[in-house]
Amino acid sequence: MATFVLVHGAWSGAHGFRHVRRSLAHLGHEAFTPSLTGIGERVHLTSPSVGLGTHIDDLVNHVLYEDLRAIVLLGFSYGGMVVTGALDALAGRVRHVVYLDAFVPADGQSLFGLLGLDDRPAPTVGTDWQVMAAPRVFDDPDEADFMNPRRTPQPVRCFTERVSLSQPLEEFAFGRTYIRATGDTPDAPGTAAFDVAAAHARTSPHWSAREIDTNHMVPSNRPDELAAILDELA
């Protein structure tokens, strides 16, 4: 049995991994899916002060309070920012890191920076501090009916705050895998950044790379296929 910690993406919550949790449990694994403050089931806690640092604390505290060790830590999409920012605190408890169609920042990078939007100012009192959910497509109409009403606006600080990382990602002792969803169109949100990260993983001796033939919403569209890959990595 392996222990997985799955970190959801922007505008979402732990519910986005509900199919993957069941698949991993069927394979004999344990999966933890912390919800990030201000979005998903914790939307009632949203405020302009919520940012990437808040979500890093959410993840770190979840792992420490559950006393999880030798974990496989997965970040999906925006969750890649959260996972990376937590590594200085959690590296000794991590056996493998998986980036699922995710942003992979270096020290000092923000999500907006990875998208070429560094000039957007941080929110101040009286300014618009929320970012509306980017449109996404689901293979199953029933899944779309479930997920779309649960896609909540997200505080902009999550996208403007920069990651702090004490050393390059490749210098940590754990394994690294990038899983790229290959079914998105070139103009889908985040595609260019995901392509860069996947290309690096395919050519680096410090990474392994996998692909899943669906669009970005892998946990909803291909939960069993994702769980099978994670089972292999475990």
Side-chain angles (χ1 to χ4, degrees):
M1 184 186 76
T3 300
F4 292 89
V5 178
L6 313 177
V7 182
H8 61 81
W11 308 297
S12 188
H15 59 274
F17 283 121
R18 69 197 190 285
H19 301 310
V20 181
R21 285 197 304 258
R22 286 194 288 266
S23 295
L24 288 173
H26 180 74
L27 293 168
H29 302 302
E30 189 171 24
F32 293 81
T33 52
S35 283
L36 303 178
T37 299
I39 50 179
E41 68 188 48
R42 303 184 73 192
V43 67
H44 58 289
L45 299 175
T46 195
S47 79
S49 65
V50 171
L52 176 60
T54 314
H55 292 165
I56 291 168
D57 288 343
D58 288 335
L59 171 57
V60 170
N61 285 337
H62 186 90
V63 172
L64 295 182
Y65 276 75
E66 293 282 358
D67 194 24
L68 305 179
R69 299 174 186 272
I71 63 176
V72 179
L73 178 60
L74 179 147
F76 170 48
S77 194
Y78 164 76
M81 305 293 298
V82 180
V83 163
T84 304
L87 289 178
D88 280 347
L90 297 181
R93 295 170 177 262
V94 175
R95 186 161 53 84
H96 202 105
V97 170
V98 180
Y99 289 84
L100 173 61
D101 225 38
F103 296 94
V104 185
D107 178 57
Q109 289 186 306
S110 68
L111 188 148
F112 275 178
L114 290 169
L115 293 176
L117 301 174
D118 256 337
D119 292 335
R120 178 158 183 170
T124 58
V125 174
T127 63
D128 182 11
W129 55 272
Q130 289 186 308
V131 179
M132 301 306 293
R136 290 297 186 183
V137 177
F138 300 88
D139 289 350
D140 183 348
D142 290 338
E143 183 72 3
D145 288 344
F146 178 89
M147 290 292 290
N148 281 325
R150 292 168 171 81
R151 287 173 64 76
T152 56
Q154 184 149 337
V156 69
R157 283 190 188 276
C158 301
F159 307 127
T160 58
E161 288 185 353
R162 298 169 184 265
V163 163
S164 177
L165 196 60
S166 63
Q167 62 185 6
L169 191 56
E170 285 79 7
E171 293 184 8
F172 286 93
F174 47 70
R176 286 155 291 270
T177 296
Y178 196 93
I179 303 174
R180 179 71 172 108
T182 59
D184 265 329
T185 59
D187 60 346
T191 291
F194 304 150
D195 282 343
V196 169
H200 175 71
R202 285 192 294 268
T203 58
S204 171
H206 303 289
W207 288 77
S208 64
R210 303 293 185 91
E211 294 182 348
I212 295 180
D213 185 16
T214 186
N215 66 40
H216 183 66
M217 305 309 292
V218 178
S220 291
N221 294 339
R222 298 288 189 274
D224 293 339
E225 187 174 347
L226 174 59
I229 292 175
L230 296 178
D231 183 53
E232 292 175 15
L233 297 176

